[in-house]
């Protein structure tokens, strides 16, 4: 079967022929892959900055944001049937007995760092025709969200982040519902985060530095958030417009902008990091203000990596709600579907748009 693979040692990238996987365990499920989303991580892997093949393999099949359809099930599979749609999770637990997070099925909080990830770290990914996976790593998806279900995996970032935000805000029991939220970044992670914040009743503003962001303004307004472009408003102007910022949801992966905004985080505010910046050398930050405010304004600053089965279930439910409320906005996050043979083009990052998807089958 065809697969999109990277050979890190040779700095080579190709559409290859890979043996079709078969069920080996009674709890295994075989999926025919339908859609595989491309994100920044994939672009880093194909430029050889990131990504590790499975032990003994010279190549890594990429792809971690996906949707598949069940074509075969083992005799002990109970939750999925042939024909069902499913989105697989990405991270798999380490084998270190003392890692209490992995032993509790929360490998997203792995202590040992020896976790693996499909399509990224020591396990083949989903940008191929067929995949076999254990039932417990598969999340059933209703057919009504078929055309946008590839967005479930990137939405889990927001689901896990906002679940933790709610835990933190429990310390403010007198708060009325709905925070003032600022989203940094107009890419898929930022836009899905903004949609989730609007669903949660937050007064949400998206701040973007993306050039020619005029379409973004229309898109963001269409699902009930405000849009501010960096060309027309400095971070200080932005903060003045928003008021007391209860939540910053960072989705730019640029430390300079994140730390420029941090001094404007409000009283009892929460700053959520989701981006993974490349190491580009030191940036200047106003460390005294940041530390002083963290104390005097009871601020919480945390980072979050996706995601548990619970976050996938939340994302599948919220994709359904978003599709009901804002079908055009949600669908417009998917810019274009590409055949697997042409994967090199969107992976090179030159095709533009919001979310490019490899459509292996329909
Ligand atoms: Zn991704
Ligand atoms: Zn672990």
């Amino acid at each position: 079967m065809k697969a999109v693979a990277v050979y890190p040692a040779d700095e080579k990238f190709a559409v290859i022929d890979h043996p079709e996987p078969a069920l080996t365990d009674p709890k295994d499920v075989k999926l025919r892959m339908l859609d595989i989303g491309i994100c920044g991580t994939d672009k880093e892997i194909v430029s050889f900055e990131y990504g590790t093949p499975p032990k003994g393999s010279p190549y890594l099949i990429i792809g971690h944001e996906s949707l598949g359809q069940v074509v075969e099930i083992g005799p002990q599979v109970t939750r999925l049937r042939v024909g069902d749609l499913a989105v697989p999770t990405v991270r798999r637990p380490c084998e270190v007995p003392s890692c209490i997070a992995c032993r509790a099925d929360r490998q997203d909080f792995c202590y040992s760092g020896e976790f693996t990830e499909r399509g990224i770290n020591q396990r083949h990914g989903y940008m191929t025709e067929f995949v076999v996976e254990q039932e417990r790593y598969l999340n059933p998806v209703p057919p009504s969200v078929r055309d946008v279900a590839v967005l479930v995996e990137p939405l889990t970032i927001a689901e896990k982040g906002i679940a933790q935000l709610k835990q933190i805000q429990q310390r403010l029991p007198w708060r009325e519902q709905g925070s003032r939220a600022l989203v940094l970044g107009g890419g898929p992670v930022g836009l899905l985060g903004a949609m989730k914040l609007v669903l949660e009743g937050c007064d949400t503003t998206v701040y973007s530095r993306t050039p020619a962001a005029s379409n973004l303004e229309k898109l963001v307004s269409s699902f009930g958030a405000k849009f501010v472009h960096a060309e027309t408003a400095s971070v200080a102007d932005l903060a003045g417009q928003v008021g007391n910022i209860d939540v910053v949801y960072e989705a730019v992966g640029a430390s300079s902008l994140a730390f420029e905004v941090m001094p404007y985080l409000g009283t009892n505010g929460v700053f959520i990091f989701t981006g993974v910046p490349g190491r580009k050398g030191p940036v200047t930050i106003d460390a005294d203000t940041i530390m002083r405010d963290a104390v005097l304004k009871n601020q919480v600053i945390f980072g979050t990596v996706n995601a548990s089965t619970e976050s996938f279930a939340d994302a599948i439910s919220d994709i359904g709600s978003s599709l009901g409320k804002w079908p055009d906005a949600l669908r417009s996050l998917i810019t274009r579907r590409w055949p697997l043979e042409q994967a090199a083009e969107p992976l090179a990052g030159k095709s533009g748009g919001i979310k490019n998807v490899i459509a292996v089958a329909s």
Side-chain angles (χ1 to χ4, degrees):
M1 64 174 186
K2 283 182 225 136
V4 177
V6 63
Y7 294 72
D10 303 331
E11 301 213 339
K12 209 178 86 184
F13 160 80
V15 177
I16 61 161
D17 191 40
H18 181 81
E20 189 174 316
L23 306 190
T24 56
D25 183 279
K27 294 195 170 99
D28 275 350
V29 174
K30 185 169 174 178
L31 298 175
R32 182 173 68 109
M33 299 316 292
L34 302 176
D35 282 344
I36 298 98
I38 292 173
C39 76
T41 301
D42 300 303
K43 290 175 192 166
E44 279 178 23
I45 295 173
V46 299
S47 41
F48 319 109
E49 291 166 37
Y50 204 64
T52 310
K55 277 194 190 80
S57 169
Y59 59 85
L60 170 73
I61 298 174
I62 66 166
H64 58 275
E65 304 179 0
S66 74
L67 171 70
Q69 184 167 34
V70 177
V71 290
E72 195 182 344
I73 57 171
Q76 287 178 25
V77 170
T78 56
R79 286 162 43 239
L80 286 162
R81 290 182 198 185
V82 170
D84 285 354
L85 299 174
V87 171
T89 61
V90 178
R91 201 182 265 208
R92 301 290 172 265
C94 73
E95 285 166 16
V96 178
S98 61
C99 181
I100 49 179
C102 286
R103 303 292 70 80
D105 295 326
R106 285 306 299 263
Q107 47 268 24
D108 54 322
F109 284 106
C110 177
Y111 285 93
S112 72
E114 291 176 29
F115 58 84
T116 56
E117 287 164 322
R118 291 204 66 154
I120 303 171
N121 181 12
Q122 300 174 68
R123 282 181 192 269
H124 286 312
Y126 306 130
M127 207 177 281
T128 181
E129 294 178 82
F130 295 96
V131 161
V132 167
E133 186 51 272
Q134 289 266 294
E135 181 186 25
R136 65 188 178 122
Y137 297 126
L138 296 173
N139 306 281
V141 171
S144 55
V145 298
R146 155 71 182 86
D147 61 335
V148 286
V150 70
L151 300 172
V152 163
E153 197 277 347
L155 178 60
T156 62
I157 303 170
E159 297 293 346
K160 184 179 165 189
I162 289 156
Q164 292 170 90
L165 169 69
K166 287 181 182 169
Q167 290 171 339
I168 295 162
Q169 288 185 331
Q170 280 174 13
R171 67 189 179 152
L172 315 170
W174 59 85
R175 265 182 82 255
E176 286 171 17
Q177 284 302 303
S179 302
R180 280 200 198 101
L182 173 61
V183 174
L184 303 180
V189 176
L191 295 170
L192 289 166
M195 279 188 183
K196 170 64 182 167
L197 288 160
V198 173
L199 280 181
E200 291 294 326
C202 297
D203 178 356
T204 305
T205 303
V206 176
Y207 187 65
S208 172
R209 297 195 291 198
T210 312
S214 52
N215 296 341
L216 273 185
E217 175 152 24
K218 212 171 134 209
L219 168 63
V220 167
S221 320
S222 74
F223 64 83
K226 295 170 201 130
F227 183 81
V228 177
H229 196 268
E231 268 167 19
T232 58
S234 68
V235 170
D237 298 337
L238 168 74
Q241 287 178 34
V242 176
N244 188 68
I245 302 174
D246 298 305
V247 187
V248 176
Y249 185 79
E250 178 279 325
V252 279
S255 60
S256 54
L257 178 63
F259 283 95
E260 193 187 336
V261 171
M262 203 177 278
Y264 297 96
L265 181 63
T267 299
N268 308 327
V270 180
F271 195 107
I272 308 172
F273 280 115
T274 76
V276 183
R279 293 195 185 88
K280 296 190 189 80
V283 297
T284 303
I285 64 166
D286 188 354
D288 283 342
T289 301
I290 290 171
M291 183 168 163
R292 210 182 134 85
D293 284 357
V295 173
L296 297 177
K297 296 183 180 173
N298 303 296
Q299 293 168 338
V300 175
I301 296 156
F302 75 90
T304 183
V305 68
N306 58 333
S308 68
T309 306
E310 202 181 347
S311 296
F312 274 82
D314 292 344
I316 291 164
S317 157
D318 282 337
I319 280 278
S321 308
S322 301
L323 193 62
K325 283 176 188 267
W326 318 297
D328 296 342
L330 188 64
R331 289 197 175 104
S332 73
L333 299 188
I334 297 176
T335 304
R336 184 168 166 188
R337 282 182 163 85
W338 303 74
L340 185 129
E341 293 76 12
Q342 285 175 30
E345 206 174 320
L347 281 163
K350 287 169 194 146
S351 47
I354 300 171
K355 176 65 75 184
N356 282 283
V357 170
I358 303 301
V360 183
S362 54

